[in-house]
Amino acid sequence: MFFERNLIPAAAALALAFGLTAPGARAQTEDYEALNAAIVESYVLPRYADFAQATKALDASLTQACADGRPTPAESAAAYHTAMDAWMAVQHLRFGPSELFLRAERIEFWPDKRGTVGRHLAQMTSEPKLEALEPQAFASGSVAVQGFPALERLLFDSEDADWATPFGCALTLAIGRNLNSIASDLLSDWRDGEDAYAGTVLGAAAGNDRYFDAKEAALDFAKSLRGALLLVGDYKLGRPLGDAPEAARTTRAESWRSARSLRNIKINLQAARALYEVGGESSLSSLARAHPQGAELDEVIRAALERLNAAAEAQPDSLVAALEVPEGWAQLDALRVETRRLLELLGGPFSEVLGLPMGFNSYDGD
Amino acid sequence: MTAIDRRAFLTASAASCAAWGLCLPRAVLAAESRCFVSACSDEDGNTLARVVTGDGRLLATLPLPERGHGAARRPGQREVVVFARRPGRFALAFDPLSAEPLRRFDAAAGRHFYGHGAFSPDGRWLFACENDYDNARGCIGVYDATVGYRREAELESHAIGPHEIVLLSDGRTLVVANGGIQTHPQAGRRKLNIDSMQPSLAYIDAASGALLHDHRLPAEMHQASIRHIAATANDVIGVAMQYEGPRNNLVPLVGFQHAEAEIVLPPSDAATLRSLQQYCGGAAMDASGQVLAASAPRGGNITFWSVARQCHLGSLALADGCGVAASGAPGGFLASSGYGRLVHHNALSGETTRLDDPAAAPVAWDNHLLALTL
């Protein structure tokens, strides 16, 4: 086993330390404003800039590889992986610009429980229409074929030779161009102009049409942290692992065709850790620590994030490869369990201490 | 059930529990005492329904297949139905004393539950709020509890997004809070029509499904989703809403409505409005019909409103507090939170008592509490 049992104290044990209304130094408006500013400047903007840059390189690489009518993994795999790495670093930021125009789904339609990507790709290649690949038509067509999962099939699925046609190649190019276009829009919506979303977050203290106050903007970041771990624990590990080694289904994993399911998780966990710690004295970590009873909580969370990252780094990039080792399933399941425990801690005592109700009833409308 | 029958039953059920190797109930209800049902989630993420006594002690636990939401008591029977949280599809009838499942039934093809339902006074018919999602149409599924909750009919809810439903004292008029928000399971919980949403409070004849009358807010309030309602014995409806409009546009979210009159939104001061953070999660009337509780989990407050005077009485700070139910005394409520708190508060006396059961494994309480007397 990777983890000793109960390294993370049960959320309840920590929760007992806090009263009905947590007394003492609750974070103030200025603290949330500083937190928001630090995260936007040092986390959100650089990451979206990387994503825009990586998809631009992907677009260029596919164009070059397609010059002979058939891009191969050898020619474009590196650019694909770099772009996926950049996506994994922002995948959990599911608010603001990423909510618009189905951007997140268009970048990566996953989990794809009904095999929609394959079905829509097959439809598209069986009745090739070049006009469907025009940028506007493509962006407003099937969400499932617009992003990484479709590109991954075209590049890496060796049993599927559809890409090795002029139309397959044109489709590959359309995906690359589309991904770059979405990524550029994400960056510019966050960064540029009077309506930049960065301004909406930084101006939240005065109240605006998106945020009630600075704390509510901070809540979006706290939810993103929780969202990253939820994706890793329940979707990226929980679904493929199942309840027992014999129930494992690797085709439920994300990016299994390009053998990078665990590489995705490594980057997600790095992103979660960075989000918790970015901003020095203005970080989520510091806000927790500033609470009279938050020091222990903060230590537990930081240690858990460190252990999760170390445990993930010790694994190969491929989930299939990881499961070929005798103890592989148990190790990944332990990673899943500890991720779950950290989630409970974030949704419970952490969110209670910070007054950021991301837990349960306030998470979304019911 | 007489006291003797009850004792005999408890002895018998305790014996059968022991025979099955199950634990004995740790708390035993006195006759005619009140208990509360709520969906919840434990620390390992298991979804459950729990039954607790009026003083907060755990009485029974029922595992749920997925996250639950609201519950309805079947009149005349020791039976409660708990519904899946939207867009879930299961409903589970169970015995609140033993937590023994009695019947599971699922939403019909092309429908999912919204998480609330109400029984007819004779305990036969269950009316459940449902989404006919491919047609973007709200409907009320009608189930016959006497034949294993067979779905016998479907009524129109007369707007999109029927969320909570109550049956009035005449036993045949349904009042439905149509939230107005269109969702589709393939798009998860994404809201699809925020710009054009048209919530309503619909009075529906349970026998014919006919719309008797419905009530809407002024056009500039069309983004206030009428989501949770509660009724007094005299059929005054308390309304608790969720605002989908600009966050810096503070609007009143708690109101009253009676008979054919329009919805009244009592004016309240900015501080009270701010304390709701544009979002109410639940509504309940106290046992005397004097006080409406409207919970605001995002704001971390339970707010209390006078039914007669239609004004804000006061608030109880409770982080992520959402479940509210009448505790029996005039002005008395039990409230629950996502952080596992259970609190008794009397809105008339201002008295607050914490009711956590230290012996029970902690849970995050889900949105709604149901009060029932066994």
Side-chain angles (χ1 to χ4, degrees):
Chain A
M1 279 283 164
F2 243 85
F3 297 109
E4 292 172 38
R5 281 276 158 224
N6 299 325
L7 269 177
I8 300 187
L14 280 169
L16 281 178
F18 306 108
L20 186 61
T21 50
R26 272 280 173 90
Q28 304 296 309
T29 297
E30 311 84 72
D31 300 325
Y32 293 113
E33 277 189 283
L35 171 81
N36 294 338
I39 293 178
V40 168
E41 292 300 327
S42 310
Y43 187 91
V44 176
L45 293 177
R47 281 166 184 257
Y48 275 125
D50 283 351
F51 183 42
Q53 179 56 42
T55 51
K56 189 177 174 192
L58 172 66
D59 186 17
S61 162
L62 290 170
T63 306
Q64 200 175 22
C66 238
D68 61 358
R70 48 182 300 172
T72 63
E75 290 170 297
S76 286
Y80 162 85
H81 283 300
T82 307
M84 271 301 284
D85 288 352
W87 166 236
M88 287 300 119
V90 294
Q91 185 189 29
H92 57 301
L93 300 173
R94 294 268 171 123
F95 65 95
S98 80
E99 276 183 317
L100 298 175
F101 313 119
L102 297 172
R103 280 171 175 157
E105 291 86 346
R106 286 160 62 211
I107 293 168
E108 189 190 4
F109 190 84
W110 189 85
D112 178 15
K113 294 177 186 171
R114 295 160 198 230
T116 310
V117 173
R119 207 169 56 247
H120 287 193
L121 263 184
Q123 272 165 18
M124 222 163 181
T125 49
S126 67
E127 299 170 41
K129 288 188 192 116
L130 280 172
E131 61 270 24
L133 304 182
E134 289 301 316
Q136 281 238 293
F138 191 64
S140 52
S142 163
V143 167
V145 300
Q146 290 188 35
F148 285 113
L151 180 61
E152 185 194 29
R153 280 180 185 254
L154 292 165
L155 285 179
F156 294 93
D157 199 328
S158 56
E159 286 176 35
D160 182 352
D162 285 335
W163 55 268
T165 63
F167 183 77
C169 198
L171 177 55
T172 308
L173 284 179
I175 296 172
R177 189 175 48 210
N178 184 60
L179 280 169
N180 182 223
S181 156
I182 301 172
S184 308
D185 289 348
L186 279 168
L187 176 62
S188 88
D189 281 4
W190 264 99
R191 188 189 61 187
D192 303 332
E194 280 185 14
D195 295 332
Y197 202 78
T200 303
V201 171
L202 300 183
N208 54 41
D209 64 350
R210 286 301 307 247
Y211 295 114
F212 199 73
D213 52 23
K215 196 167 107 174
E216 191 171 76
L219 180 60
D220 267 344
F221 294 121
K223 282 183 190 172
S224 299
L225 171 60
R226 184 175 180 276
L229 295 165
L230 200 68
L231 266 175
V232 168
D234 288 7
Y235 290 88
K236 301 192 180 192
L237 289 171
R239 276 177 48 79
L241 289 179
D243 295 333
E246 52 280 12
R249 299 262 300 276
T250 50
T251 54
R252 287 182 165 186
E254 186 188 39
S255 310
W256 64 271
R257 288 183 169 83
S258 51
R260 51 167 297 144
S261 307
L262 296 180
R263 177 159 159 181
N264 290 354
I265 289 173
K266 291 174 196 179
I267 299 169
N268 295 149
L269 291 173
Q270 286 163 12
R273 187 180 181 188
L275 181 51
Y276 186 68
E277 293 177 353
V278 70
E281 287 308 299
S282 304
S283 63
L284 284 168
S285 166
S286 296
L287 278 192
R289 214 163 45 235
H291 189 279
Q293 289 149 313
E296 183 196 350
L297 182 62
D298 174 58
E299 248 168 58
V300 172
I301 293 172
R302 277 189 296 126
L305 284 166
E306 194 179 324
R307 272 198 312 279
L308 286 171
N309 271 284
E313 289 301 333
Q315 294 288 331
D317 282 352
S318 158
L319 180 87
V320 177
L323 290 180
E324 278 165 3
V325 179
E327 280 293 293
W329 189 91
Q331 288 174 359
L332 292 177
D333 192 54
L335 186 62
R336 181 188 65 78
V337 169
E338 180 134 353
T339 303
R340 254 274 142 217
R341 284 212 166 260
L342 179 55
L343 271 169
E344 294 300 321
L345 208 55
L346 289 173
F350 173 77
S351 94
E352 197 171 13
V353 160
L354 263 64
L356 295 174
M358 58 180 160
F360 212 54
N361 298 316
S362 43
Y363 191 57
D364 60 1
D366 241 320
Chain B
M1 190 182 275
T2 67
I4 291 167
D5 285 346
R6 175 176 301 276
R7 200 171 306 123
F9 164 78
L10 287 173
T11 311
S13 64
S16 67
C17 273
W20 288 99
L22 302 170
C23 58
L24 295 171
R26 295 187 302 106
V28 174
L29 276 187
E32 300 306 313
S33 64
R34 194 170 276 250
C35 64
F36 299 85
V37 176
S38 176
C40 55
S41 165
D42 72 12
E43 295 208 302
D44 296 326
N46 299 312
T47 50
L48 315 165
R50 268 195 181 174
V51 188
V52 297
T53 59
D55 54 3
R57 284 171 303 142
L58 177 62
L59 195 61
T61 301
L62 171 79
L64 297 179
E66 286 168 62
R67 192 168 166 185
H69 192 66
R73 196 265 170 92
R74 185 175 174 198
Q77 306 286 330
R78 219 176 55 219
E79 189 166 331
V80 167
V81 171
V82 60
F83 290 97
R85 179 177 189 244
R86 73 186 172 88
R89 304 175 54 87
F90 77 87
L92 199 56
F94 70 102
D95 175 339
L97 267 188
S98 65
E100 187 187 336
L102 300 171
R103 187 87 187 183
R104 174 181 166 155
F105 55 105
D106 291 315
R111 309 282 184 274
H112 69 70
F113 292 122
Y114 276 105
H116 291 278
F119 273 97
S120 61
D122 63 4
R124 178 167 183 189
W125 303 105
L126 173 67
F127 303 93
C129 290
E130 298 174 1
N131 187 6
D132 172 7
Y133 40 83
D134 285 332
N135 299 305
R137 170 182 156 270
C139 59
I140 310 296
V142 185
Y143 298 81
D144 186 345
T146 62
V147 288
Y149 291 92
R150 195 166 65 201
R151 196 174 193 267
E152 295 289 348
E154 180 175 289
L155 313 178
E156 296 284 332
S157 83
H158 301 282
I160 290 172
H163 192 78
E164 188 155 30
I165 183 169
V166 297
L167 195 68
L168 296 187
S169 59
D170 64 5
R172 62 173 292 163
T173 304
L174 296 165
V175 182
V176 179
N178 285 303
I181 298 177
Q182 186 187 337
T183 55
H184 193 289
Q186 278 178 12
R189 296 167 63 84
R190 188 184 282 273
K191 301 160 186 167
L192 304 172
N193 65 336
I194 292 304
D195 292 339
S196 61
M197 58 187 280
Q198 294 293 340
S200 82
L201 189 65
Y203 280 65
I204 298 166
D205 180 62
S208 68
L211 179 67
L212 302 171
H213 42 97
D214 69 353
H215 306 273
R216 290 166 197 253
L217 293 163
E220 71 273 15
M221 284 285 285
H222 83 96
Q223 286 177 317
S225 178
I226 302 175
R227 204 68 79 89
H228 292 101
I229 50 176
T232 66
N234 299 328
D235 298 335
V236 176
I237 308 293
V239 178
M241 304 189 290
Q242 302 173 359
Y243 188 56
E244 298 288 344
R247 300 290 288 146
N248 52 353
N249 181 25
L250 275 183
V251 295
L253 293 178
V254 179
F256 295 94
Q257 194 278 334
H258 185 226
E260 296 189 30
E262 288 311 309
I263 300 170
V264 176
L265 299 177
S268 32
D269 56 78
T272 304
L273 293 184
R274 285 190 69 82
S275 78
L276 301 174
Q277 286 218 11
Q278 309 279 40
Y279 187 94
C280 290
M285 291 288 184
D286 75 332
S288 70
Q290 293 181 76
V291 182
L292 167 69
S295 58
R298 291 186 185 170
N301 287 290
I302 314 286
T303 63
F304 302 97
W305 304 73
S306 162
V307 174
R309 290 186 286 132
Q310 304 202 335
C311 65
H312 180 231
L313 288 173
S315 297
L316 169 74
L318 183 63
D320 206 20
C322 198
V324 278
S327 64
F333 290 95
L334 203 68
S336 62
S337 86
Y339 296 121
R341 310 273 179 251
L342 265 186
V343 185
H344 183 266
H345 180 78
N346 191 304
L348 297 175
S349 69
E351 206 174 320
T352 304
T353 320
R354 201 173 148 166
L355 298 179
D356 304 329
D357 182 343
V363 290
W365 294 108
D366 227 305
N367 306 55
H368 301 292
L369 272 173
L370 169 74
L372 61 148
T373 305
L374 287 174

